[in-house]
Amino acid sequence: MNTRALPEDLSPVTAIPILRDHRWLELTSAANQAFKDGAVEPARRLYTRAVEEAERLFETRNPKDTAVPLPAIMNIACHNLAQLAAQDGNEPECRRLLILAFDRLINAARQPSTPIELRIACVQHLKYTLSELAGHLAQQFEPEPSIEHYTDRLREAVAAVSHAAAHVGQADDPRRCGHCRLTN
């Protein structure tokens, strides 16, 4: 971490800086332990709160000062809760959560106002998101939309992020390439 931590930002036990994702980490750890102990309903409540915390963190679009990358936080939070929904036989809820993770990452990757390092991280983590979603859709009879819908969106996002990364230092306006007609 490049910034100097103030005493109130330090853990009293370890004297190391408390990162922005500490609450999400605590919720996820407690939910994992509850699940391991067979306490499914407490685990579900904790995983739900972890998704809410992941959403709060992800909305900041600030990839700094977290122990876990923001796209991974969103993926893990949604996938944990989706797994519980699938175990309960609640396929619509499982699908909703898998699509939520996909949509959050793809939308951040496509958004020119998202910092380029976060856009790149989102694209990198979309392989996990898409893999989980594809596995779920493969179990459905003629899912709508089909997996091709999601792979097309991923291809478009990869192209946009690749273009933005290649031209980020070459244009006066980082949303528009200085030497071609493409916009990010």
Side-chain angles (χ1 to χ4, degrees):
M1 183 181 309
N2 294 337
T3 59
R4 188 179 147 146
L6 301 174
E8 63 271 9
D9 293 334
L10 297 176
S11 166
V13 176
T14 60
I16 58 173
I18 297 173
L19 299 174
R20 292 183 320 109
D21 59 348
H22 76 277
R23 184 71 183 134
W24 176 81
L25 288 166
E26 290 170 352
L27 289 165
T28 300
S29 178
N32 289 342
Q33 187 61 51
F35 183 76
K36 182 179 172 186
D37 294 344
V40 175
E41 285 313 308
R44 184 183 325 279
R45 286 191 298 276
L46 289 163
Y47 282 138
T48 299
R49 290 175 51 203
V51 168
E52 292 166 358
E53 182 65 11
E55 289 268 32
R56 186 190 69 74
L57 288 166
F58 204 77
E59 284 176 12
T60 68
R61 297 286 200 269
N62 178 3
K64 298 186 179 8
D65 299 329
T66 60
V68 178
L70 287 180
I73 288 172
M74 184 57 65
N75 268 341
I76 293 166
C78 290
H79 292 178
N80 284 340
L81 201 51
Q83 182 180 14
L84 274 183
Q87 286 178 352
D88 291 345
N90 189 345
E91 294 303 316
E93 180 65 2
C94 177
R95 182 178 180 152
R96 183 190 74 77
L97 289 159
L98 295 173
I99 291 172
L100 174 66
F102 182 87
D103 284 345
R104 290 298 183 269
L105 270 60
I106 204 91
N107 291 339
R110 299 259 323 148
Q111 187 60 247
S113 61
T114 301
I116 191 66
E117 63 270 18
L118 180 56
R119 292 177 75 185
I120 292 168
C122 285
V123 166
Q124 291 169 336
H125 284 271
L126 274 162
K127 64 185 169 196
Y128 306 112
T129 313
L130 187 60
S131 175
E132 289 288 327
L133 182 56
H136 178 76
L137 293 176
Q139 297 172 9
Q140 311 299 309
F141 179 72
E142 296 184 20
E144 193 58 43
S146 68
I147 189 63
E148 289 77 19
H149 166 80
Y150 297 101
T151 56
D152 288 347
R153 289 180 64 200
L154 177 57
R155 235 180 261 114
E156 292 168 4
V158 168
V161 171
S162 176
H163 182 264
H167 297 291
V168 75
Q170 297 178 11
D172 293 335
D173 179 356
R175 293 168 296 182
R176 183 170 215 51
C177 179
H179 69 275
C180 68
R181 297 175 304 169
L182 295 177
T183 57
N184 296 321

